[in-house]
Amino acid sequence: LNFMSSRENTLVLFDVDGTLTEPRKVVTPELKEFIKELRKRVTVGVVGGSDLAKAKEQLGEDYLELVDWGFPENGLNAFKDGKSIAVQSLKKHLGDENINRFINYVLRYLSEVNIPIKRGTFIEFRNGMMNISPIGRNCSQEERDAFEEYDKVHKIRQTMVDTLEKEFSDLGLKFSIGGQISFDVFPVGWDKTYCLRFVEGLGYKEIHFFGDKTMPGGNDHEIFEDARTIGHTVTCPADTVKLCGELFP
């Protein structure tokens, strides 16, 4: 029990949204100060689903100087001491032949889906995932709400996911239904646990993770549950600060 945490033996990883910032908001000066102080006692990292540009919007232009480890896009883009150490992408991982096969199938499938309205942008191709929306992402808020209700009854997204899982079982993809109108597709293991490959085996005796969406289905769940981490659930930035004060005095 008298384990003394230090920068050598303890790594503390934080989720961004809801953990270091209020959802979609910018980090406060007080919280930045808290991270600076905490770094004197332990090694600090941040892991978030957003890309680097978005992470800098929330955590400030100096985000990579603020932490020891920076893991935008769950670590597909990985930084140590402000320097890039690894870059991975869906394009590199799957290759164009597989991506084309997948996209062609999705477009064919969507052309035959019967829903009250369709708009535009049915597939959004991102660095680490694809986002698929049967109604199309540029629908209005009203249309979005209507689709969500329709989908609850008719299970448009779930049925589509079940079909794609069978059809592309060879590609090792994970499908995650979230939000009102779409679902994400990404390789198995490309959740927040992806970043752990960079930090395990470096002599940390404890790797702590703090996140707010740690329930099953939440995007902090896998890393929270992972055997390599000690998981902590928080409700807001103030909660994060309080808990760290108790754990790393």
Side-chain angles (χ1 to χ4, degrees):
L1 261 175
N2 56 5
F3 175 77
M4 282 295 290
S5 49
S6 69
R7 279 187 56 80
E8 285 65 48
N9 65 23
T10 306
L11 170 63
V12 180
L13 293 171
F14 296 101
D15 161 54
V16 182
D17 246 16
T19 303
L20 294 180
T21 71
E22 295 297 336
R24 298 187 179 178
K25 298 277 199 308
V26 176
V27 71
T28 63
E30 294 77 37
L31 206 115
K32 281 186 127 163
E33 204 43 53
F34 152 77
I35 293 175
K36 283 187 187 132
E37 285 303 309
L38 186 64
R39 265 182 88 185
K40 295 174 183 168
R41 303 194 289 281
V42 294
T43 298
V44 172
V46 167
V47 52
S50 304
D51 62 18
L52 182 58
K54 197 99 189 104
K56 282 184 171 178
E57 274 174 34
Q58 281 189 285
L59 298 172
E61 276 303 314
D62 59 347
Y63 154 52
L64 294 173
E65 285 80 70
L66 188 67
V67 294
D68 299 286
W69 296 93
F71 297 121
E73 298 185 72
N74 296 343
L76 295 182
N77 202 355
F79 295 86
K80 172 76 167 86
D81 301 325
K83 294 180 188 59
S84 172
I85 55 168
V87 181
Q88 176 60 292
S89 69
L90 198 57
K91 189 166 128 89
K92 211 155 72 172
H93 177 79
L94 286 177
D96 281 331
E97 201 179 318
N98 283 323
I99 290 171
N100 286 357
R101 177 164 74 100
F102 184 84
I103 287 179
N104 290 343
Y105 187 93
V106 166
L107 290 173
R108 248 196 328 270
Y109 183 101
L110 287 175
S111 73
E112 290 164 11
V113 162
N114 206 355
I115 53 178
I117 58 167
K118 292 181 184 175
R119 292 303 178 245
T121 315
F122 302 100
I123 302 176
E124 198 170 83
F125 189 86
R126 302 175 188 170
N127 185 55
M129 66 161 74
M130 281 180 267
N131 177 272
I132 294 170
S133 173
I135 181 178
R137 290 193 69 80
N138 56 12
C139 55
S140 69
Q141 188 57 51
E142 214 172 313
E143 292 164 345
R144 188 179 262 268
D145 297 341
F147 176 83
E148 185 180 25
E149 289 311 311
Y150 187 86
D151 191 50
K152 277 181 190 154
V153 179
H154 298 277
K155 305 268 184 285
I156 302 295
R157 288 184 291 176
Q158 190 57 59
T159 307
M160 187 170 181
V161 163
D162 294 343
T163 307
L164 291 172
E165 274 177 340
K166 278 198 211 52
E167 186 67 27
F168 294 97
S169 55
D170 60 313
L171 295 186
L173 296 173
K174 186 169 161 63
F175 297 83
S176 168
I177 297 177
Q180 295 181 286
I181 57 164
S182 65
F183 59 91
D184 292 332
V185 186
F186 51 89
V188 171
W190 284 25
D191 49 58
K192 285 191 176 140
T193 59
Y194 188 90
C195 75
L196 296 176
R197 66 191 62 201
F198 301 108
V199 298
E200 59 182 344
L202 294 182
Y204 297 118
K205 298 274 183 290
E206 290 185 353
I207 299 177
H208 292 262
F209 171 77
F210 291 79
D212 63 321
K213 298 204 163 43
T214 56
M215 300 292 289
N219 64 7
D220 296 326
H221 180 69
E222 291 87 356
I223 190 169
F224 174 79
E225 285 284 292
D226 196 284
R228 292 166 289 183
T229 67
I230 301 164
H232 308 276
T233 307
V234 296
T235 54
C236 63
D239 198 24
T240 304
V241 171
K242 181 173 168 289
L243 196 51
C244 285
E246 290 162 13
L247 287 165
F248 317 111

